[in-house]
Amino acid sequence: MTKDVIISVEGKQIVDGEEDVNETIAQGTYYNRGGKHYIIYDTYDDDSKIENMIKFNEDIVEVSRKGEITGKLIYEAGKKKRSLYTTPVGDMLMELDTHDINIDCRDEKIEAQIFFEIFVEGDKVSDNEVKIIVKEKK
């Protein structure tokens, strides 16, 4: 069954002790197929459309983006995952070291939190937390 939803994605990044918080709120679609949850929504960056998909189960969260910014980030607690992220200024090879993933799925709301570090070219860039909240659109 497909549901129309409101998605909130809040990202917190700490670099050299400085904290930066960004939040995106969008309308999208949610469905569950084969034991995996899917959230699909669009965002816009400088008038360019970016298609986003979050796919997850209790162990792994995958975030895919297609558009001017393209990439697939894979979060799995206790593991490091490499990803190529393509931006208008060039490609970036990143490594995500995921410490913890907390997912709470209920009929009326899904909440997920991901705690991880980002490394670029082997150097630690930041400590990060992403919080995703999905609610059915009324």
Side-chain angles (χ1 to χ4, degrees):
M1 180 166 94
T2 301
K3 296 180 183 180
D4 291 330
V5 294
I6 303 293
I7 302 109
S8 167
V9 180
E10 181 182 284
K12 183 190 310 180
Q13 185 173 51
I14 301 170
V15 179
D16 297 329
E18 297 286 321
E19 185 176 300
D20 184 35
V21 178
N22 292 309
E23 183 177 22
T24 300
I25 297 174
Q27 295 183 40
T29 304
Y30 163 84
Y31 62 93
N32 185 323
R33 183 175 302 148
K36 293 190 183 200
H37 303 268
Y38 295 83
I39 303 160
I40 299 169
Y41 63 100
D42 295 333
T43 54
Y44 295 86
D45 187 29
D46 297 329
D47 298 324
S48 296
K49 179 177 156 183
I50 300 169
E51 299 171 0
N52 300 275
M53 181 176 70
I54 301 171
K55 177 172 74 171
F56 66 94
N57 60 23
E58 62 275 354
D59 300 317
I60 298 175
V61 177
E62 296 179 20
V63 178
S64 300
R65 301 182 84 187
K66 292 181 185 174
E68 193 168 279
I69 298 171
T70 300
K72 182 177 188 178
L73 304 176
I74 301 172
Y75 305 94
E76 185 174 3
K79 297 200 176 175
K80 291 183 179 181
K81 299 286 186 176
R82 288 188 176 196
S83 177
L84 182 64
Y85 219 63
T86 301
T87 72
V89 295
D91 293 345
M92 183 176 13
L93 182 61
M94 299 182 354
E95 186 173 54
L96 305 174
D97 185 0
T98 305
H99 299 288
D100 197 16
I101 298 173
N102 301 311
I103 298 174
D104 183 17
C105 293
R106 301 177 193 190
D107 287 340
E108 69 280 355
K109 180 167 76 169
I110 296 170
E111 288 189 50
Q113 277 188 295
I114 307 166
F115 301 91
F116 61 100
E117 295 174 318
I118 294 177
F119 293 82
V120 175
E121 311 260 336
D123 294 324
K124 180 177 172 181
V125 175
S126 60
D127 292 299
N128 303 270
E129 176 185 344
V130 172
K131 185 174 186 177
I132 302 165
I133 299 174
V134 181
K135 295 180 182 178
E136 189 170 357
K137 187 177 172 187
K138 302 284 179 181

